[in-house]
Amino acid sequence: DAGVTQSPTHLIKTRGQQVTLRCSPKSGHDTVSWYQQALGQGPQFIFQYYEEEERQRGNFPDRFSGHQFPNYSSELNVNALLLGDSALYLCASSSLAGDRVDEQYFGPGTRLTVT
Amino acid sequence: RKEVEQDPGPFNVPEGATVAFNCTYSNSASQSFFWYRQDCRKEPKLLMSVYSSGNEDGRFTAQLNRASQYISLLIRDSKLSDSATYLCVVNLFMDTGRRALTFGSGTRLQVQP
């Protein structure tokens, strides 16, 4: 049973560029959430996708956008990169079904460095 | 005020010690609560859910006090492998019926031989 996978593992970009990060949820999960984790901080919620739509959004600017595909995988896009966007980007998957509907499982993350 | 607050630590304890972490949350409408563990440069992993009646999983005991809006985690007989950052997490139901996890900044535990 494959867990949550993310690609790439590491990425270096220049200010002003655009980046796309990818996530495949755990088998049986239909909901994908994205988080940004700066060094020394807890993960901060960016947004959540369910049924190919953005359902919830945290306090992040419109430069952060996403997409969910029919197979439940998801992409996070960040435009006009800033130095402050350097962080670990985590994807978490979950499912509405069953008793453990709130438990989210994280992928290994993509470490983005903006120079 | 942060929505979820934790003492950042570090808590330095000897092997075999009992250690407790507390966490407070600001939103009284919070619906569910968790402790996650995060090793250095790794992803957070679910340690345990926290139920109103309190729950135990081996050496780990979690408690929830809704009236005071705090959550605790107790680790007994600490092992070297318990060294990690412990994240307090609150799951809030949004207006649309969906949920979003809000994380504390974490409490770092270092168990020493």
Side-chain angles (χ1 to χ4, degrees), chain B residues 8-110:
Chain B
F11 283 57
N12 294 304
V13 302
E15 267 187 294
T18 295
V19 61
F21 309 136
N22 288 327
C23 160
T24 58
Y25 60 95
S26 60
N27 192 322
S28 60
S30 300
Q31 296 287 337
S32 50
F33 311 87
F34 308 90
W35 284 101
Y36 277 73
R37 170 196 168 125
Q38 187 170 27
D39 293 291
C40 188
R41 302 184 75 82
K42 297 285 189 181
E43 73 273 21
K45 293 190 175 172
L46 178 65
L47 180 64
M48 57 198 304
S49 301
V50 186
Y51 303 119
S52 297
S53 54
N55 48 300
E56 188 174 308
D57 183 2
R59 298 181 293 109
F60 299 83
T61 300
Q63 296 278 351
L64 168 64
N65 185 320
R66 284 190 184 270
S68 301
Q69 294 180 205
Y70 81 78
I71 308 151
S72 65
L73 177 68
L74 182 78
I75 305 176
R76 291 181 298 278
D77 189 23
S78 299
K79 312 289 185 192
L80 293 176
S81 57
D82 293 334
S83 298
T85 296
Y86 290 83
L87 298 162
C88 174
V89 186
V90 173
N91 202 356
L92 177 64
F93 278 84
M94 302 293 189
D95 293 339
T96 56
R98 306 299 298 189
R99 309 163 190 85
L101 292 184
T102 302
F103 284 75
S105 295
T107 297
R108 193 156 66 87
L109 172 65
Q110 185 66 47

Side-chain angles (χ1 to χ4, degrees), chain A residues 47-114:
Chain A
F47 43 53
Q48 183 181 80
Y49 276 84
Y50 172 68
E51 291 185 332
E52 302 179 48
E53 288 188 20
E54 182 184 296
R55 300 291 180 159
Q56 305 292 344
R57 190 177 183 92
N59 190 24
F60 278 80
D62 292 344
R63 298 187 297 109
F64 290 77
S65 63
H67 189 77
Q68 186 179 35
F69 299 95
N71 67 353
Y72 308 119
S73 66
S74 176
E75 287 182 350
L76 163 65
N77 301 293
V78 187
N79 294 323
L81 284 166
L82 304 173
L83 295 179
D85 294 332
S86 296
L88 179 67
Y89 288 84
L90 294 160
C91 166
S93 75
S94 57
S95 173
L96 271 186
D99 293 336
R100 297 177 183 250
V101 297
D102 295 322
E103 293 177 358
Q104 296 192 3
Y105 296 85
F106 285 83
T110 294
R111 190 164 297 280
L112 172 66
T113 302
V114 182

